[in-house]
Amino acid sequence: MALFGLMVAAAACRTGQSGAPLPGAREAFGRREPAVYAALLDTIFPKGRPRTLMVDDITITFKLPSRDPNSSWSARFDVIPATLSGRLAELSAAPQLAEVALLGASARPITGATLDDVFHDGSKGWMEFYRRFPGSRGYLALSPIAFSDDESQALIYFERHCGGLCGEGELAWLWRDRPGHWQVLRLLRFWVS
């Protein structure tokens, strides 16, 4: 698969396939996460969400990109508060169970074992994926959500996988414009295929 743009600065991390809770998994959630996910999904799928939203059951790791004051990438990334991006890197360092239920009724978790089974024959993997999960338009992998101290901003890294030459990894910076309502302020693309 060809990758264009910048080097991938985030890596998918997967452990705990036995189903046991992973270190750092949270048990209680506030009401802010579903609203952040709703704003993110509206941005990812502007023409309507898929009938079935497949989501990796383990969160992915976001790693801070190296800072180069002479690169245009650094200039674009520097608009995000360093405390927020640092918090996201900390929160996502240890894989956790993804909060798939907070993404809405159409969201379904997909395990690493299922992905391995679907893609064991690389050349036919996406045909098998869409046979097993019709109406899904691929799957998402998400980092945990990092919130600013005053909870007016949020940051999340996501990857959308939809085919051999169809996918992207982006950092979404969101702000709360009124109680319970979030908007994507900026997307920063890390990779595209």
Side-chain angles (χ1 to χ4, degrees):
M1 173 166 56
L3 295 178
F4 301 98
L6 301 167
M7 296 292 295
V8 176
C13 290
R14 176 180 305 288
T15 59
Q17 296 300 322
S18 67
L22 296 172
R26 299 184 301 171
E27 294 182 17
F29 301 94
R31 296 179 196 200
R32 60 191 181 173
E33 285 88 353
V36 170
Y37 286 133
L40 179 65
L41 293 176
D42 289 346
T43 300
I44 296 172
F45 304 108
K47 294 181 180 179
R49 297 181 193 171
R51 214 173 46 236
T52 303
L53 180 64
M54 301 306 298
V55 181
D56 195 327
D57 71 334
I58 303 297
T59 60
I60 56 176
T61 300
F62 170 75
K63 293 183 180 176
L64 289 168
S66 58
R67 304 283 182 162
D68 177 358
N70 298 321
S71 87
S72 63
W73 166 250
S74 287
R76 289 187 304 146
F77 189 78
D78 285 345
V79 300
I80 296 173
T83 55
L84 198 54
S85 56
R87 185 170 292 156
L88 179 59
E90 271 182 46
L91 284 172
S92 69
Q96 305 170 30
L97 295 174
E99 306 311 322
V100 176
L102 299 178
L103 288 145
S106 68
R108 302 285 179 269
I110 188 165
T111 66
T114 299
L115 288 170
D116 290 345
D117 185 50
V118 166
F119 293 105
H120 76 279
D121 181 10
S123 64
K124 297 179 182 173
W126 281 108
M127 288 187 322
E128 177 63 13
F129 181 90
Y130 288 116
R131 185 190 68 74
R132 290 190 195 186
F133 310 107
S136 67
R137 292 193 264 165
Y139 72 94
L140 295 178
L142 305 165
S143 74
I145 302 171
F147 289 93
S148 60
D149 289 338
D150 65 359
E151 297 190 358
S152 67
Q153 298 179 55
L155 197 62
I156 184 170
Y157 176 75
F158 70 92
E159 293 180 355
R160 186 173 68 95
H161 302 274
C162 45
L165 291 175
C166 177
E168 62 192 341
E170 294 187 274
L171 186 65
W173 181 24
L174 300 96
W175 67 285
R176 189 184 68 223
D177 60 350
R178 61 183 183 274
H181 189 264
W182 292 80
Q183 288 190 356
V184 173
L185 185 61
R186 181 166 294 186
L187 290 175
L188 293 172
R189 180 165 286 160
F190 278 67
W191 62 269
V192 64
S193 70

